Amino acid sequence: MTTAEGVFALGDLPLRRGGVLPDAKLVWKTHGTLNTARDNVVLYPTSYGAQHPDLEWLIGREGILDPTRWFIVIPNMFTGGLSTSPSNCPAWPGLVTAWDNVGAQRRLLREVFGVERLHAVYGWSMGAQQAYHWAAAYPDAVARIVVNCGSARTAVHNQVFLRSQMAVLEAAPEYDGRHHFTAQPAAALRAFGRVYAAWALSQDFYRANLHLTALGAPDLETFLRTDWEERFARRAAADLLAQLRTWDAGDIADGGDLPAALARIEARVLLMPSATDLYFRVADNEAELPHLKHGRLAVIPSIWGHRAGNPGPNPADAAFIKAEVRALLDA
């Protein structure tokens, strides 16, 4: 499989909510080959706490995204630790939004690959938010989007989760009161991971003991430590906090009329929530669907909560997603 990776320098990047991201850079990786017509591009933005290696499990000839057919471009989000983030930018300016991410990605596609129109944007979670922002920002440049466990506007109940997690990090004695930490806040990150575990997987998941039987943990404490505490300890707390703020601000209407913003989308939209997601709820996508010109709702019938949309160890949910995504990409 052909792959390539690089760093795209954007210079000083003006931000939608004010300020400038100094010397901004996007770290990217591609899988597959760009065809001569440049019309086989699938953009695959990253999600919360994830970097491109975390997303590559679903790329393969028999996977959800087939690199023998599609040229798959993974741009790492600002705040994710590889592209410009608080951990590598001491002069972090403040809020970087999904709008800023998709604007930078648009430049990457044009200036590095000569691509003007995307066959599709595939995204899970915060990646799904970016897919929605792509379709809203560039309606003539996106043919299809997959909104896998995401929404067009971060719902209030979702913000309650996000702001509780912000409060955990901001309560750490290592927090400087703005964007950075004097050291990694180990105790806060431990609490952060444990709170996250309660939201990312459903009550039914835990009732069925899938944290033990499907994920192989010997007991609950081990599961919380290895799957959640250690997961987030790999990332800089400043990046996690900034990315929470990006997620919290997600809104394709930018504070305006959401139904009107949805109605302006020209792309074919596959809304694919998990039946048991606790923060990107099915009801959020059901409310969006009537305003889309070309929308379709396909609910993942899963008890894996939010992680149904990123089902590395979960073959049934992976098969459901693969079938739906391949049907959209072939349409």
Side-chain angles (χ1 to χ4, degrees):
M1 178 171 62
T2 302
T3 64
E5 50 193 307
V7 179
F8 176 52
L10 295 132
D12 292 345
L13 185 69
L15 299 172
R16 192 173 182 94
R17 297 286 182 90
V20 173
L21 190 60
D23 192 24
K25 295 179 175 64
L26 277 184
V27 174
W28 55 267
K29 185 170 182 179
T30 64
H31 294 255
T33 302
L34 181 63
N35 65 16
T36 55
R38 290 181 164 80
D39 63 359
N40 67 330
V41 182
V42 175
L43 190 75
Y44 183 12
T46 56
S47 50
Y48 186 75
Q51 298 175 350
H52 66 261
D54 303 311
L55 276 61
E56 293 174 314
W57 67 269
L58 58 65
I59 298 173
R61 184 185 291 271
E62 300 304 321
I64 292 169
L65 298 178
D66 179 0
T68 68
R69 295 192 60 196
W70 311 113
F71 181 62
I72 302 157
V73 181
I74 307 177
N76 287 271
M77 285 182 68
F78 297 130
T79 71
L82 293 180
S83 296
T84 304
S85 306
S87 61
N88 56 41
C89 179
W92 187 255
L95 179 64
V96 175
T97 66
W99 292 99
D100 300 314
N101 276 279
V102 301
Q105 292 162 15
R106 174 76 153 160
R107 284 186 55 189
L108 167 71
L109 291 166
R110 280 180 158 172
E111 296 175 31
V112 175
F113 302 109
V115 170
E116 293 291 336
R117 181 170 169 81
L118 295 169
H119 185 80
V121 184
Y122 175 94
W124 172 67
S125 193
M126 284 190 80
Q129 288 185 312
Q130 291 168 81
Y132 242 143
H133 278 74
W134 256 97
Y138 308 113
D140 296 329
V142 187
R144 302 159 185 80
I145 64 170
V146 177
V147 178
N148 179 358
C149 296
S151 64
R153 171 182 283 166
T154 302
V156 173
H157 64 83
N158 196 336
Q159 290 177 318
V160 172
F161 159 66
L162 297 169
R163 294 182 191 187
S164 68
Q165 293 292 71
M166 291 180 204
V168 170
L169 296 178
E170 290 167 349
E174 298 90 345
Y175 178 53
D176 73 357
R178 296 186 72 244
H179 311 304
H180 292 92
F181 294 77
T182 56
Q184 276 285 80
L189 286 170
R190 181 171 183 266
F192 183 95
R194 287 175 173 249
V195 173
Y196 215 108
W199 281 81
L201 296 157
S202 77
Q203 296 94 336
D204 293 333
F205 173 93
Y206 288 110
R207 186 176 297 112
N209 283 320
L210 292 179
H211 58 297
L212 308 179
T213 59
L215 297 181
D219 52 57
L220 179 59
E221 279 300 307
T222 302
F223 173 72
L224 293 173
R225 175 173 53 81
T226 59
D227 273 52
W228 298 99
E229 294 177 28
E230 293 176 4
R231 176 194 306 266
F232 289 114
R234 296 180 302 158
R235 303 291 181 237
D239 294 346
L240 293 172
L241 179 58
Q243 204 162 35
L244 288 172
R245 291 168 175 167
T246 300
W247 182 347
D248 182 82
D251 183 359
I252 68 164
D254 207 18
D257 186 335
L258 182 59
L262 290 163
R264 287 192 290 270
I265 291 175
E266 297 293 335
R268 299 181 63 166
V269 180
L270 173 61
L271 299 171
M272 196 163 46
S274 162
T276 52
D277 197 329
L278 296 179
Y279 35 77
F280 290 111
R281 300 290 294 150
V282 173
D284 298 328
N285 289 160
E286 287 176 335
E288 295 161 355
L289 184 63
H291 305 290
L292 293 167
K293 291 186 180 78
H294 313 291
R296 180 171 176 271
L297 180 68
V299 179
I300 307 169
S302 176
I303 65 170
W304 281 65
H306 187 60
R307 283 185 63 177
N310 188 37
N314 180 357
D317 292 350
F320 181 92
I321 294 168
K322 176 181 174 180
E324 292 291 340
V325 171
R326 289 202 165 197
L328 178 73
L329 295 183
D330 289 340

